Protein backbone atom coordinates (compact mmCIF):
# COMPACT_ATOMS: atom_id res chain seq x y z
CA UNK A 1 0.00 0.00 0.00
CA UNK A 2 3.00 2.26 -0.29
CA UNK A 3 3.90 1.79 -3.99
CA UNK A 4 1.57 4.52 -5.24
CA UNK A 5 -1.12 2.15 -6.53
CA UNK A 6 -4.70 2.51 -5.22
CA UNK A 7 -5.70 0.72 -2.04
CA UNK A 8 -7.72 -2.32 -3.16
CA UNK A 9 -10.83 -2.59 -1.01
CA UNK A 10 -13.26 -5.47 -0.50
CA UNK A 11 -16.60 -4.16 0.77
CA UNK A 12 -18.69 -6.52 2.92
CA UNK A 13 -22.29 -5.58 3.76
CA UNK A 14 -25.54 -7.48 3.30
CA UNK A 15 -27.40 -4.44 1.96
CA UNK A 16 -26.84 -4.15 -1.79
CA UNK A 17 -27.92 -0.51 -1.89
CA UNK A 18 -25.46 0.46 0.83
CA UNK A 19 -22.60 -1.39 -0.88
CA UNK A 20 -23.31 0.30 -4.20
CA UNK A 21 -23.65 3.69 -2.57
CA UNK A 22 -20.36 3.37 -0.70
CA UNK A 23 -18.62 2.04 -3.80
CA UNK A 24 -19.82 5.10 -5.74
CA UNK A 25 -18.82 7.46 -2.93
CA UNK A 26 -15.28 6.07 -2.81
CA UNK A 27 -14.92 5.83 -6.59
CA UNK A 28 -14.13 9.53 -6.83
CA UNK A 29 -10.98 9.00 -4.74
CA UNK A 30 -8.07 8.08 -7.02
CA UNK A 31 -6.22 6.23 -4.26
CA UNK A 32 -9.16 4.02 -3.17
CA UNK A 33 -10.47 1.19 -5.35
CA UNK A 34 -13.49 -0.88 -4.24
CA UNK A 35 -12.81 -3.82 -6.55
CA UNK A 36 -15.32 -6.34 -5.13
CA UNK A 37 -18.22 -6.78 -2.73
CA UNK A 38 -19.68 -9.57 -0.61
CA UNK A 39 -22.91 -9.91 1.36
CA UNK A 40 -21.89 -12.51 3.95
CA UNK A 41 -18.91 -13.65 5.98
CA UNK A 42 -18.14 -16.83 4.06
CA UNK A 43 -18.06 -15.00 0.73
CA UNK A 44 -15.81 -12.34 2.26
CA UNK A 45 -13.30 -14.94 3.44
CA UNK A 46 -13.33 -16.69 0.05
CA UNK A 47 -12.71 -13.41 -1.79
CA UNK A 48 -10.02 -12.36 0.67
CA UNK A 49 -8.22 -15.66 0.15
CA UNK A 50 -8.38 -15.41 -3.64
CA UNK A 51 -7.79 -11.67 -4.10
CA UNK A 52 -5.68 -10.65 -1.05
CA UNK A 53 -7.23 -7.17 -0.76
CA UNK A 54 -5.30 -4.36 0.86
CA UNK A 55 -8.34 -3.56 2.97
CA UNK A 56 -11.73 -4.99 3.92
CA UNK A 57 -14.57 -2.72 5.02
CA UNK A 58 -16.86 -4.95 7.07
CA UNK A 59 -20.30 -4.48 8.58
CA UNK A 60 -20.89 -6.10 11.98
CA UNK A 61 -24.35 -7.49 11.27
CA UNK A 62 -23.80 -9.79 8.29
CA UNK A 63 -25.08 -13.32 7.65
CA UNK A 64 -22.89 -16.26 8.65
CA UNK A 65 -20.27 -16.26 11.38
CA UNK A 66 -20.19 -13.32 13.76
CA UNK A 67 -18.05 -10.41 12.65
CA UNK A 68 -15.14 -11.18 14.99
CA UNK A 69 -14.86 -14.71 13.62
CA UNK A 70 -15.02 -13.36 10.07
CA UNK A 71 -12.23 -10.89 10.85
CA UNK A 72 -10.03 -13.67 12.22
CA UNK A 73 -10.68 -15.88 9.20
CA UNK A 74 -9.93 -13.04 6.79
CA UNK A 75 -6.62 -12.34 8.49
CA UNK A 76 -5.73 -16.04 8.53
CA UNK A 77 -6.07 -16.28 4.73
CA UNK A 78 -4.73 -12.79 3.99
CA UNK A 79 -2.49 -11.65 6.88
CA UNK A 80 -1.54 -8.28 5.37
CA UNK A 81 -5.14 -7.18 4.81
CA UNK A 82 -6.32 -4.36 7.06
CA UNK A 83 -9.88 -4.60 8.33
CA UNK A 84 -12.07 -1.54 8.92
CA UNK A 85 -15.39 -2.06 10.71
CA UNK A 86 -18.25 0.17 9.57
CA UNK A 87 -21.25 -0.42 11.82
CA UNK A 88 -24.49 0.88 13.31
CA UNK A 89 -23.57 -0.64 16.68
CA UNK A 90 -22.14 1.79 19.24
CA UNK A 91 -21.52 -0.92 21.83
CA UNK A 92 -18.21 -0.91 23.74
CA UNK A 93 -18.18 -4.70 24.12
CA UNK A 94 -18.62 -5.13 20.35
CA UNK A 95 -15.89 -2.58 19.66
CA UNK A 96 -13.42 -4.32 21.93
CA UNK A 97 -14.27 -7.76 20.52
CA UNK A 98 -13.62 -6.59 16.96
CA UNK A 99 -10.38 -4.81 17.85
CA UNK A 100 -9.21 -7.89 19.74
CA UNK A 101 -9.96 -9.99 16.63
CA UNK A 102 -7.56 -7.81 14.63
CA UNK A 103 -9.60 -4.96 13.16
CA UNK A 104 -7.59 -1.79 12.54
CA UNK A 105 -10.51 0.63 12.83
CA UNK A 106 -14.07 0.81 14.11
CA UNK A 107 -16.33 3.48 12.63
CA UNK A 108 -20.01 4.19 13.02
CA UNK A 109 -22.08 4.46 9.85
CA UNK A 110 -22.94 8.00 10.92
CA UNK A 111 -19.34 9.03 10.16
CA UNK A 112 -18.89 11.80 7.60
CA UNK A 113 -17.51 11.06 4.16
CA UNK A 114 -14.43 13.14 4.93
CA UNK A 115 -13.73 11.25 8.15
CA UNK A 116 -14.28 7.89 6.46
CA UNK A 117 -11.86 8.66 3.65
CA UNK A 118 -9.32 10.08 6.09
CA UNK A 119 -9.52 6.95 8.23
CA UNK A 120 -9.13 4.62 5.27
CA UNK A 121 -6.03 6.50 4.16
CA UNK A 122 -4.58 6.49 7.68
CA UNK A 123 -5.09 2.75 8.08
CA UNK A 124 -3.70 2.08 4.59
CA UNK A 125 -0.59 4.11 5.36
CA UNK A 126 0.16 2.77 8.85
CA UNK A 127 -0.56 -0.84 9.83
CA UNK A 128 0.17 -0.07 13.49
CA UNK A 129 -2.42 2.70 13.78
CA UNK A 130 -5.81 1.97 15.33
CA UNK A 131 -8.67 4.33 14.45
CA UNK A 132 -11.94 4.77 16.34
CA UNK A 133 -15.00 6.87 15.57
CA UNK A 134 -17.47 6.01 18.32
CA UNK A 135 -19.43 7.93 20.94
CA UNK A 136 -17.64 9.45 23.91
CA UNK A 137 -19.78 7.24 26.17
CA UNK A 138 -18.56 4.06 24.47
CA UNK A 139 -14.96 5.25 24.46
CA UNK A 140 -15.08 6.01 28.18
CA UNK A 141 -16.61 2.60 28.93
CA UNK A 142 -13.92 0.89 26.88
CA UNK A 143 -11.22 2.83 28.69
CA UNK A 144 -12.63 1.93 32.12
CA UNK A 145 -13.59 -1.67 31.40
CA UNK A 146 -11.74 -4.79 32.43
CA UNK A 147 -12.34 -6.43 29.05
CA UNK A 148 -9.22 -8.07 27.71
CA UNK A 149 -7.22 -6.21 25.11
CA UNK A 150 -5.39 -9.16 23.58
CA UNK A 151 -6.91 -12.22 21.98
CA UNK A 152 -5.89 -15.67 23.24
CA UNK A 153 -3.64 -16.15 20.21
CA UNK A 154 -1.95 -12.79 20.82
CA UNK A 155 -1.33 -13.78 24.45
CA UNK A 156 0.32 -16.99 23.22
CA UNK A 157 2.58 -14.98 20.95
CA UNK A 158 3.56 -12.44 23.62
CA UNK A 159 4.34 -15.31 26.01
CA UNK A 160 6.68 -16.83 23.40
CA UNK A 161 8.25 -13.42 22.72
CA UNK A 162 8.89 -13.23 26.46
CA UNK A 163 10.87 -16.48 26.09
CA UNK A 164 13.04 -14.74 23.45
CA UNK A 165 11.74 -16.84 20.54
CA UNK A 166 12.13 -15.35 17.06
CA UNK A 167 9.23 -14.89 14.66
CA UNK A 168 10.21 -18.03 12.75
CA UNK A 169 10.47 -20.05 15.96
CA UNK A 170 7.05 -18.80 17.11
CA UNK A 171 5.58 -19.71 13.72
CA UNK A 172 6.90 -23.26 13.97
CA UNK A 173 5.76 -23.62 17.58
CA UNK A 174 2.20 -22.50 16.77
CA UNK A 175 2.06 -24.07 13.28
CA UNK A 176 1.28 -20.78 11.57
CA UNK A 177 3.13 -18.72 8.97
CA UNK A 178 5.77 -16.18 9.88
CA UNK A 179 3.63 -13.57 8.13
CA UNK A 180 0.77 -14.36 10.51
CA UNK A 181 3.11 -13.94 13.48
CA UNK A 182 4.18 -10.53 12.16
CA UNK A 183 0.55 -9.50 11.68
CA UNK A 184 -0.30 -10.51 15.24
CA UNK A 185 2.70 -8.58 16.54
CA UNK A 186 1.60 -5.45 14.66
CA UNK A 187 -1.81 -5.75 16.30
CA UNK A 188 -0.27 -6.37 19.71
CA UNK A 189 1.96 -3.29 19.39
CA UNK A 190 -1.03 -1.16 18.35
CA UNK A 191 -3.31 -2.41 21.14
CA UNK A 192 -0.69 -2.02 23.88
CA UNK A 193 0.95 1.11 22.51
CA UNK A 194 4.25 -0.77 22.49
CA UNK A 195 7.33 0.34 20.60
CA UNK A 196 9.41 -2.85 20.84
CA UNK A 197 9.10 -6.55 21.63
CA UNK A 198 10.37 -6.04 25.17
CA UNK A 199 7.99 -3.11 25.64
CA UNK A 200 5.09 -5.29 24.46
CA UNK A 201 5.97 -8.00 26.97
CA UNK A 202 6.30 -5.49 29.81
CA UNK A 203 3.00 -3.80 28.96
CA UNK A 204 1.22 -7.13 28.64
CA UNK A 205 2.45 -8.08 32.10
CA UNK A 206 1.45 -4.68 33.49
CA UNK A 207 -2.04 -5.09 32.00
CA UNK A 208 -2.31 -8.54 33.62
CA UNK A 209 -2.60 -10.15 30.19
CA UNK A 210 0.17 -12.72 30.64
CA UNK A 211 -0.09 -13.60 34.30
CA UNK A 212 -3.80 -14.51 34.12
CA UNK A 213 -3.99 -16.28 30.77
CA UNK A 214 -0.64 -17.90 30.02
CA UNK A 215 1.41 -20.59 31.67
Amino acid sequence: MTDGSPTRILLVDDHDLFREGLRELLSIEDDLDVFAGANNGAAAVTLASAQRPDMVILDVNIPGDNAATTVRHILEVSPDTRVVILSLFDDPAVVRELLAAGAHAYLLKSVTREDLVSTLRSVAGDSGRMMLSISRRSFEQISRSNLRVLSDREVEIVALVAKALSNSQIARRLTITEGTVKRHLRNIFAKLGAVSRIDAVNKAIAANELSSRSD
Side-chain angles (χ1 to χ4, degrees), residues 67-85:
T69 299
T70 298
V71 169
R72 286 191 288 269
H73 288 167
I74 287 171
L75 295 177
E76 285 170 4
V77 300
S78 185
D80 292 329
T81 294
R82 297 169 195 179
V83 180
V84 172
I85 304 299

Side-chain angles (χ1 to χ4, degrees), residues 53-113:
D54 297 318
M55 185 177 295
V56 172
I57 300 177
L58 177 71
D59 183 25
V60 169
N61 191 22
I62 55 173
D65 291 331
N66 67 40
T69 299
T70 298
V71 169
R72 286 191 288 269
H73 288 167
I74 287 171
L75 295 177
E76 285 170 4
V77 300
S78 185
D80 292 329
T81 294
R82 297 169 195 179
V83 180
V84 172
I85 304 299
L86 190 58
S87 173
L88 291 172
F89 294 101
D90 185 23
D91 183 327
V94 173
V95 176
R96 290 294 292 270
E97 181 183 23
L98 269 297
L99 295 181
H104 289 76
Y106 193 106
L107 309 176
L108 297 179
K109 285 186 173 178
S110 57
V111 71
T112 66
R113 173 189 170 279

Side-chain angles (χ1 to χ4, degrees), residues 7-150:
T7 298
R8 298 173 62 252
I9 298 172
L10 168 60
L11 179 57
V12 186
D13 193 290
D14 62 335
H15 292 93
D16 294 345
L17 187 62
F18 179 82
R19 285 202 318 276
E20 291 306 313
L22 187 54
R23 183 198 296 265
E24 184 175 348
L25 181 150
L26 296 178
S27 68
I28 64 176
E29 306 296 336
D30 292 338
D31 57 337
L32 302 173
D33 173 27
V34 179
F35 73 93
N39 63 6
N40 63 75
V45 174
T46 298
L47 279 168
S49 179
Q51 300 294 332
R52 301 297 179 94
D54 297 318
M55 185 177 295
V56 172
I57 300 177
L58 177 71
D59 183 25
V60 169
N61 191 22
I62 55 173
D65 291 331
N66 67 40
T69 299
T70 298
V71 169
R72 286 191 288 269
H73 288 167
I74 287 171
L75 295 177
E76 285 170 4
V77 300
S78 185
D80 292 329
T81 294
R82 297 169 195 179
V83 180
V84 172
I85 304 299
L86 190 58
S87 173
L88 291 172
F89 294 101
D90 185 23
D91 183 327
V94 173
V95 176
R96 290 294 292 270
E97 181 183 23
L98 269 297
L99 295 181
H104 289 76
Y106 193 106
L107 309 176
L108 297 179
K109 285 186 173 178
S110 57
V111 71
T112 66
R113 173 189 170 279
E114 290 77 13
D115 286 343
L116 172 62
V117 171
S118 176
T119 297
L120 298 181
R121 287 173 174 157
S122 294
V123 171
D126 184 354
S127 64
R129 179 173 295 182
M130 185 174 293
M131 307 292 290
L132 296 176
S133 179
I134 56 178
S135 69
R136 180 178 295 276
R137 175 190 61 82
S138 288
F139 182 80
E140 290 174 349
Q141 288 186 36
I142 290 170
S143 300
R144 293 196 305 265
S145 73
N146 291 321
L147 292 172
R148 293 295 182 182
V149 171
L150 302 182

